[in-house]
């Protein structure tokens, strides 16, 4: 008997196969047992008919507990009534290991309880669907950047620099020196762009932010492309093409997961239309003021209600361009005709999901950058390698960072970023 994964059913219809699985749920009468099974690739039904199997097989099936692991043998059949489309007509069940009193039952549980049991919660169909979408976004990311001849480069996690400001750094000892967990690989990606032209990274980043919101993680994964000989306008085009590509691939490859989550696919389709709208920071402030927001002044950063209002004024993700210099990091290129703003953009997701991309054109002038480093109170010795990039063949270059979990949260249409990562690190949670 061949051992297969249920996801491969269409190649095995009519065959008798063996599948390693767990019992997610069970319904049985005197004559028939319906096992809701999951083998890691999908959730599916196994049917055991008393009159068609040896009595001990039926008794074993009837007495299975939630999350008992089993080897089920039977015939793969098409099942047009289920969304998954296939089921297995079971002829034998072998228990691999018993499970008793599984803590997560089909009833409702509170979030804290579920978060304490994250190691088990991941087995549920909803979490499974979210992780499938996360996986697809990662897969499509590699696809997109490979198609466009970007080289994947891995920046370090232990660093001496603070690209996004010094307030939210995780400090650690590096023998007798201080080091920080990376809050962005960008500065290293700029070095890599000067070596390889177009590069992207994908890795964990850390922010010791004391923010307890639906959008903030302490540890999150970022995709950071960086492009030599590229101005901001071209970078924005890459960004919108990339995000539309992610949405399209999730639509193409995660239909089942989207259905499990109840995500409206028609709405998602509208996010694949290009270009995405652009609005300047100045105009965004004016838009907010005109609509009764008197809690924000030019020069201040947007809060989540502001971002949501701006996003709701458009039907697609929207770029907000050229923020005030004072609220953005030291490395951004100054605007050619205005001293008070920089050449940057954030992409704000629709439906209130907030900022998913932050990016900019980078300053190319050595003297300007040195001044910025000093003005931001950074130690210029630690940035001398970065300044070298402006000494030896400096070129216009731009890049951006896409937050993976925020993007998953938005595309999956879920409420909280904590469900978009397998083991979230949150303000008050480093367990499990
Ligand atoms: O806007 P940020 O801070 O930009 C950078 O780090 C740049 N150095 C990126 C670059 O240009 N290479 O972060 C980029 C994105 C945000 O738009 C958001 O999606 C995500 O990272 N992000 C977070 N996601 C979850 N939890 C947090 N605490 C996040 N902080 C930022
Ligand atoms: Mg940002």
């Amino acid at each position: 008997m061949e051992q297969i994964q249920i996801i491969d059913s269409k190649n095995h219809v009519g065959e008798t196969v063996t599948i390693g699985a767990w019992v997610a749920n069970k319904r049985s009468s005197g004559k028939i047992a319906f096992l809701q099974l999951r083998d890691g690739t999908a959730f599916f039904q196994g049917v055991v008919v008393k009159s068609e199997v040896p009595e001990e097989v039926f008794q074993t099936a009837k007495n299975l507990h939630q999350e008992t692991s089993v080897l089920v043998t039977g015939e793969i059949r098409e099942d047009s009534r289920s969304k998954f489309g296939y089921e297995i007509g079971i002829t034998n069940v072998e228990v691999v290991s018993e499970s008793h009193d599984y803590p997560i039952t089909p009833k409702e549980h509170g979030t804290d309880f579920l978060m304490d049991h994250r190691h088990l919660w991941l087995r549920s169909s909803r979490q499974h669907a979210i992780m499938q979408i996360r996986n697809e976004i990662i897969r499509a990311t590699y696809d997109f950047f490979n198609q466009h001849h970007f080289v994947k480069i891995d920046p370090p996690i232990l660093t001496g620099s603070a690209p996004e400001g010094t307030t939210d750094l995780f400090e650690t000892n590096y023998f007798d020196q201080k080091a920080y967990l990376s809050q962005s690989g960008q500065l290293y990606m700029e070095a890599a762009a000067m070596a390889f032209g177009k590069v992207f990274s994908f890795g964990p980043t850390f922010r010791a932010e004391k923010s307890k919101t639906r959008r903030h993680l302490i540890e999150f994964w970022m995709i950071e492309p960086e492009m030599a000989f590229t101005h901001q306008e071209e970078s924005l085009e890459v960004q919108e093409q990339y995000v539309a590509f992610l949405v399209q691939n999730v639509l193409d490859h995660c239909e089942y997961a989207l259905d499990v989550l109840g995500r409206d696919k028609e709405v998602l389709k509208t996010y694949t239309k290009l270009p995405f709208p652009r609005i300047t920071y100045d105009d965004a402030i004016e838009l907010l003021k005109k609509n009764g927001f008197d809690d924000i002044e030019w020069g201040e950063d947007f809060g989540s209600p502001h971002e949501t209002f701006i996003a709701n004024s458009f039907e697609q993700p929207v770029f907000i361009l050229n923020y005030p210099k004072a609220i953005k990091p030291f490395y951004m290129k100054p605007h050619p005709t205005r001293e008070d703003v920089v050449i940057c953009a954030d992409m704000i997701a629709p439906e209130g999901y907030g900022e998913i991309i932050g990016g900019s054109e980078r300053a190319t002038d050595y003297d300007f950058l040195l001044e910025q480093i000093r003005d931001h109170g950074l130690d210029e010795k630690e940035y001398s390698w970065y300044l070298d990039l402006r000494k030896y063949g400096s070129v216009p270059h731009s890049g951006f960072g896409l937050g993976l979990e925020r993007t998953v949260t938005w595309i999956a249409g879920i409420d909280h970023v904590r469900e978009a990562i397998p083991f979230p690190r949150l303000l008050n949670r480093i367990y499990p």
Side-chain angles (χ1 to χ4, degrees):
M1 232 85 52
E2 198 186 351
Q3 185 157 340
I4 67 149
Q5 293 189 297
I6 195 71
I7 200 74
D8 207 18
S9 289
K10 73 168 186 303
N11 297 319
H12 297 277
V13 174
E15 291 174 26
T16 296
V17 301
T18 297
I19 298 177
W22 292 264
V23 178
N25 209 343
K26 185 192 63 187
R27 258 178 324 118
S28 63
S29 68
K31 293 187 181 134
I32 193 160
F34 295 103
L35 306 180
Q36 298 308 318
L37 299 166
R38 51 172 203 91
D39 77 339
T41 67
F43 287 74
F44 61 103
Q45 175 165 273
V47 185
V48 195
V49 181
K50 185 173 156 72
S51 61
E52 294 173 5
V53 299
E55 181 58 22
E56 73 266 22
V57 171
F58 188 72
Q59 288 308 321
T60 303
K62 249 191 101 165
N63 293 315
L64 289 170
H65 292 106
Q66 194 185 353
E67 289 307 314
T68 290
S69 48
V70 289
L71 287 170
V72 293
T73 298
E75 188 186 331
I76 301 274
R77 310 191 282 237
E78 284 186 47
D79 171 26
S80 54
R81 282 156 307 173
S82 80
K83 174 79 188 132
F84 178 64
Y86 302 92
E87 64 175 21
I88 178 166
I90 294 178
T91 49
N92 193 32
V93 180
E94 186 186 320
V95 170
V96 176
S97 188
E98 298 267 1
S99 161
H100 293 287
D101 305 320
Y102 186 68
I104 304 177
T105 57
K107 69 163 199 205
E108 287 277 313
H109 295 283
T111 303
D112 267 340
F113 178 87
L114 291 169
M115 291 295 284
D116 285 342
H117 294 84
R118 183 64 176 168
H119 52 297
L120 303 176
W121 189 22
L122 276 177
R123 301 181 186 193
S124 77
S125 60
R126 178 183 154 85
Q127 300 307 314
H128 193 266
I130 297 168
M131 289 306 136
Q132 296 284 353
I133 290 171
R134 179 184 170 104
N135 182 58
E136 177 58 25
I137 290 174
I138 295 168
R139 194 204 61 73
T141 291
Y142 280 82
D143 219 8
F144 180 86
F145 289 111
N146 284 326
Q147 278 174 23
H148 292 82
H149 309 294
F150 285 64
V151 178
K152 166 94 183 338
I153 292 286
D154 306 311
I157 303 295
L158 288 166
T159 74
S161 58
E164 302 304 312
T166 48
T167 49
D168 60 7
L169 283 175
F170 263 110
E171 202 177 286
T172 181
N173 290 329
Y174 194 73
F175 306 107
D176 49 5
Q177 276 174 276
K178 289 227 174 304
Y180 310 109
L181 298 184
S182 174
Q183 49 176 198
S184 159
Q186 181 195 317
L187 306 189
Y188 300 95
M189 298 310 287
E190 289 183 57
M194 301 305 139
F196 301 93
K198 294 198 280 184
V199 293
F200 76 107
S201 68
F202 171 51
T205 46
F206 306 85
R207 307 269 169 106
E209 274 174 301
K210 292 255 155 75
S211 316
K212 202 173 171 187
T213 77
R214 295 186 293 130
R215 298 178 187 162
H216 285 87
L217 291 164
I218 305 301
E219 178 180 298
F220 66 97
W221 287 64
M222 200 170 9
I223 290 107
E224 293 189 272
E226 194 70 33
M227 298 160 280
F229 296 102
T230 301
H231 292 289
Q232 174 72 348
E233 245 322 299
E234 301 153 80
S235 174
L236 295 184
E237 285 170 19
V238 174
Q239 293 173 42
E240 61 192 358
Q241 284 168 21
Y242 169 45
V243 169
F245 185 84
L246 295 180
V247 174
Q248 188 61 56
N249 274 273
V250 171
L251 280 166
D252 290 346
H253 302 131
C254 300
E255 198 189 343
Y256 183 80
L258 291 170
D259 287 345
V260 167
L261 297 167
R263 185 61 160 130
D264 186 337
K265 291 184 290 241
E266 291 309 313
V267 169
L268 279 182
K269 277 182 200 156
T270 64
Y271 306 148
T272 62
K273 275 194 247 122
L274 296 182
F276 293 164
R278 290 140 166 79
I279 180 174
T280 62
Y281 172 90
D282 293 356
D283 289 345
I285 290 284
E286 208 168 295
L287 177 74
L288 290 169
K289 292 238 170 250
K290 261 200 239 141
N291 286 280
F293 285 87
D294 41 21
D295 59 339
I296 185 158
E297 292 303 326
W298 195 99
E300 291 171 356
D301 212 348
F302 300 121
S304 140
H306 307 122
E307 283 182 355
T308 300
F309 185 84
I310 297 163
N312 286 344
S313 311
F314 301 91
E315 256 139 40
Q316 288 156 288
V318 52
F319 288 113
I320 305 179
L321 314 179
N322 304 344
Y323 283 71
K325 184 171 185 293
I327 55 169
K328 285 292 177 186
F330 74 94
Y331 52 72
M332 291 187 178
K333 189 178 175 69
H335 192 279
T337 60
R338 277 180 61 183
E339 277 199 351
D340 54 346
V341 298
V342 283
I343 313 256
C344 70
D346 285 354
M347 188 193 288
I348 312 298
E351 302 171 74
Y353 285 96
E355 177 197 330
I356 53 169
I357 288 183
S360 73
E361 187 158 342
R362 320 306 190 187
T364 45
D365 181 71
Y366 183 97
D367 294 323
F368 173 81
L369 252 188
L370 180 58
E371 192 188 301
Q372 294 308 300
I373 287 169
R374 287 177 179 157
D375 283 359
H376 280 77
L378 300 169
D379 180 351
E380 62 191 76
K381 283 197 298 298
E382 282 171 6
Y383 293 84
S384 78
W385 68 269
Y386 183 67
L387 285 164
D388 272 356
L389 306 176
R390 277 69 179 175
K391 248 163 74 179
Y392 305 111
S394 188
V395 300
H397 62 291
S398 304
F400 62 95
L402 173 131
L404 176 63
E405 289 76 14
R406 292 213 191 149
T407 306
V408 171
T409 305
W410 162 54
I411 296 180
I414 61 177
D415 290 342
H416 201 299
V417 76
R418 67 185 164 219
E419 288 184 56
I421 185 165
F423 294 98
R425 309 289 84 158
L426 298 164
L427 195 51
N428 296 315
R429 182 175 291 279
I430 193 172
Y431 175 89

